[in-house]
Amino acid sequence: MDLRLSDEQQMIQETVRKIMEEKVAPRATEIDEKAELPMDVVELFQENQIFSLVAPQEYGGLDGQLLTLCVAIEEVSRVCGSSSMILGNQSLGAGPIVLWGNEAQKDKYLPGIAAGEIMASFALTEPNAGSDVGGIQAKAVLKGNSYIINGNKCFITHADIADVFTVFAKVAVDGKDKITAFLVDAKTPGISIGKKERKMGLRGSSTCSMNFEEVEVPAENMLGNIGDGYRIALDCLDKGRIMTGSMAVGIAQGAMEAAIDFATTRYQFGQPISDNQGIQFMLADMATEIEVARAMIRTAAWNHDNHTPDMVKFSAMSKLYATDMVMRATTDAVQIMGGYGYCKDYPVERMMRDAKIFAIFEGANQIQRLVVARSLLK
Ligand SMILES: Cc1cc2nc3c(=O)[nH]c(=O)nc-3n(C[C@H](O)[C@H](O)[C@H](O)COP(=O)(O)OP(=O)(O)OC[C@H]3O[C@@H](n4cnc5c(N)ncnc54)[C@H](O)[C@@H]3O)c2cc1C
């Protein structure tokens, strides 16, 4: 396994970093405070072909490598967690089509998703089914050549701007409910977007509830077959978890850089606070844990790109480690910056708030531990 970045990956890393520092860093505080999805960042990603990272080459994507996407996402979240959700959610939304779509479905959606002309979202969670995916209650019933979907979803990222959703619903076959995934165009009558959550962090990323009332979806929009939905959801989450981990690494990196800048220029007792070993040890631990997490994410992405049997375990382990790590790193960054770290003039209080969600979504970290333990004990 060679985890060194190729020349092209390094070029993408540098390009995304430059764009983020020039165009988004000056807006990051405002994006958080306004708590509105920054459509100018969506346009920026469109103009710079950044969405091409989420699709395979043959459908307008760049190289189709999860590793490349993770490298780019890290650069986005290093500056702005909310903006990293724009790219991350486009990848999560594209996932079911990339991994399970037939040729017609891929041809219809992926080039537009890669261009950022079609925004995609992933609608799995329901008010009574979060970690327990099998507990979803949305129903799809066959009527002629269509399925009629009824149900409620919650916490759906960017539902308010999505053009297409993968919706998970149960189809009854011989008295058994089978989770099934459908591609649903957002303009289909019967879909309504409900409450937009007011969140602790990632406030520039919208999170909405959705209602499906008699929503008619052509049968050809089914992904895979009846009953494949559970497998589709898990396959997408296995991929999404690695990406989530890379968002966490980026935020931790941004927080550490801010803490170093501060520690070397803040004087107390006649010397920079960075001259104190107590501060140096916090920075050293932070840097070490960030490198461990980055290496785990790249290992997991390599396993995903190479379809190895260890992919599921590495995906869960890397998400678990990176997303617990980012909470420690951002908390310590605030600590190093003292009262200034706690205030909004510096980015680390935003980063600490943004960091919390990563241990919750794409499968809470308790669930990641179950996945890792199962892979050890099977
Ligand atoms: C900002 C945000 C964006 C999101 N985006 C999306 C999206 O785009 N699409 C989508 O479908 N969903 C999305 N979600 C939903 C997210 O995936 C769920 O919140 C997550 O899976 C956890 O589900 P829950 O919130 O219902 O918590 P619960 O499942 O109720 O869990 C509550 C707590 O119990 C723990 N727990 C549950 N079961 C076990 C167990 N067996 N053993 C030990 N502990 C357990 C959990 O780890 C957690 O700590 C989003 C959520 C948020 C907050």
Side-chain angles (χ1 to χ4, degrees):
M1 186 193 318
D2 182 357
L3 294 179
R4 279 174 304 184
L5 300 183
S6 67
D7 290 346
E8 192 184 25
Q9 285 167 332
Q10 283 181 39
M11 197 191 71
I12 290 164
Q13 185 181 39
E14 283 160 22
T15 307
V16 176
R17 177 174 291 212
K18 191 162 178 287
I19 293 170
M20 290 305 294
E21 284 182 349
E22 282 176 10
K23 307 271 184 196
V24 183
R27 289 254 293 114
T29 303
E30 189 191 359
I31 289 170
D32 174 63
E33 283 180 357
K34 275 193 169 166
E36 283 170 11
L37 212 151
M39 293 309 290
D40 58 320
V41 178
V42 175
E43 283 162 23
L44 187 70
F45 289 179
Q46 286 167 344
E47 284 160 17
N48 289 281
Q49 286 97 45
I50 291 178
F51 289 119
S52 67
L53 291 163
V54 309
Q57 226 166 16
E58 57 271 38
Y59 299 97
L62 196 73
D63 63 4
Q65 299 289 297
L66 181 58
L67 180 57
T68 315
L69 175 66
C70 286
V71 167
I73 282 196
E74 190 189 318
E75 293 304 324
V76 179
S77 65
R78 174 178 162 266
V79 166
C80 177
S82 292
S83 296
S84 73
M85 289 292 283
I86 295 172
L87 185 54
N89 196 60
Q90 186 76 332
S91 171
L92 182 65
I97 311 172
V98 172
L99 298 173
W100 280 81
N102 59 32
E103 280 313 308
Q105 290 164 343
K106 287 180 175 174
D107 281 340
K108 181 171 176 191
Y109 292 106
L110 289 180
I113 289 174
E117 288 155 5
I118 296 176
M119 300 304 286
S121 280
F122 184 85
L124 173 63
T125 304
E126 297 184 3
N128 293 315
S131 303
D132 180 11
V133 170
I136 64 166
Q137 289 165 8
K139 296 268 185 288
V141 177
L142 185 64
K143 185 180 163 199
N145 287 330
S146 299
Y147 279 86
I148 308 297
I149 299 182
N150 282 285
N152 293 302
K153 298 287 174 184
C154 66
F155 296 145
I156 307 308
T157 300
H158 303 172
D160 50 345
I161 61 154
D163 300 294
V164 62
F165 296 94
T166 298
V167 179
F168 295 85
K170 283 181 172 167
V171 175
V173 180
D174 299 334
K176 282 198 175 149
D177 282 339
K178 301 191 169 212
I179 301 179
T180 306
F182 298 90
L183 289 168
V184 182
D185 288 329
K187 291 200 177 80
T188 315
I191 298 178
S192 50
I193 307 298
K195 182 168 81 127
K196 187 173 144 191
E197 303 296 341
R198 294 159 62 233
K199 305 196 298 291
M200 171 196 289
L202 297 184
R203 287 160 49 80
S205 167
S206 52
T207 312
C208 308
S209 60
M210 298 181 71
N211 179 257
F212 294 78
E213 199 179 339
E214 299 291 311
V215 175
E216 185 171 346
V217 181
E220 67 199 33
N221 283 24
M222 186 186 291
L223 282 159
N225 296 308
I226 293 174
D228 284 338
Y230 191 74
R231 192 63 258 157
I232 294 174
L234 293 194
D235 282 356
C236 293
L237 293 173
D238 285 336
K239 184 178 177 192
R241 281 165 189 169
I242 304 171
M243 209 173 51
T244 303
S246 63
M247 290 180 186
V249 172
I251 291 185
Q253 177 73 35
M256 182 180 72
E257 289 172 14
I260 291 172
D261 277 354
F262 186 89
T264 49
T265 50
R266 171 72 175 168
Y267 277 66
Q268 288 294 279
F269 303 100
Q271 61 178 13
I273 59 167
S274 59
D275 282 4
N276 297 296
Q277 207 177 49
I279 299 286
Q280 291 172 5
F281 282 7
M282 284 167 95
L283 290 170
D285 285 347
M286 227 186 259
T288 306
E289 292 194 9
I290 290 170
E291 285 307 338
V292 172
R294 185 175 286 128
M296 289 185 81
I297 293 298
R298 290 189 184 172
T299 304
W302 185 90
N303 276 277
H304 189 276
D305 287 334
N306 290 280
H307 314 289
T308 75
D310 280 337
M311 188 275 291
V312 172
K313 181 178 76 180
F314 277 114
S315 163
M317 281 177 164
S318 62
K319 194 266 183 185
L320 169 60
Y321 185 81
T323 61
D324 279 349
M325 177 280 292
V326 71
M327 214 53 234
R328 291 191 292 274
T330 52
T331 307
D332 281 355
V334 169
Q335 188 68 23
I336 288 171
M337 294 174 65
Y340 299 94
Y342 196 69
C343 296
K344 289 185 185 289
D345 287 347
Y346 290 89
V348 292
E349 71 82 35
R350 163 173 54 86
M351 291 170 165
M352 185 175 160
R353 284 185 288 106
D354 284 352
K356 184 58 205 148
I357 187 59
F358 297 112
I360 297 173
F361 65 17
E362 301 268 346
N365 280 7
Q366 285 80 3
I367 302 303
Q368 306 309 320
R369 287 181 170 87
L370 291 180
V371 173
V372 175
R374 265 185 217 136
S375 77
L376 299 175
L377 301 171
K378 73 181 174 201

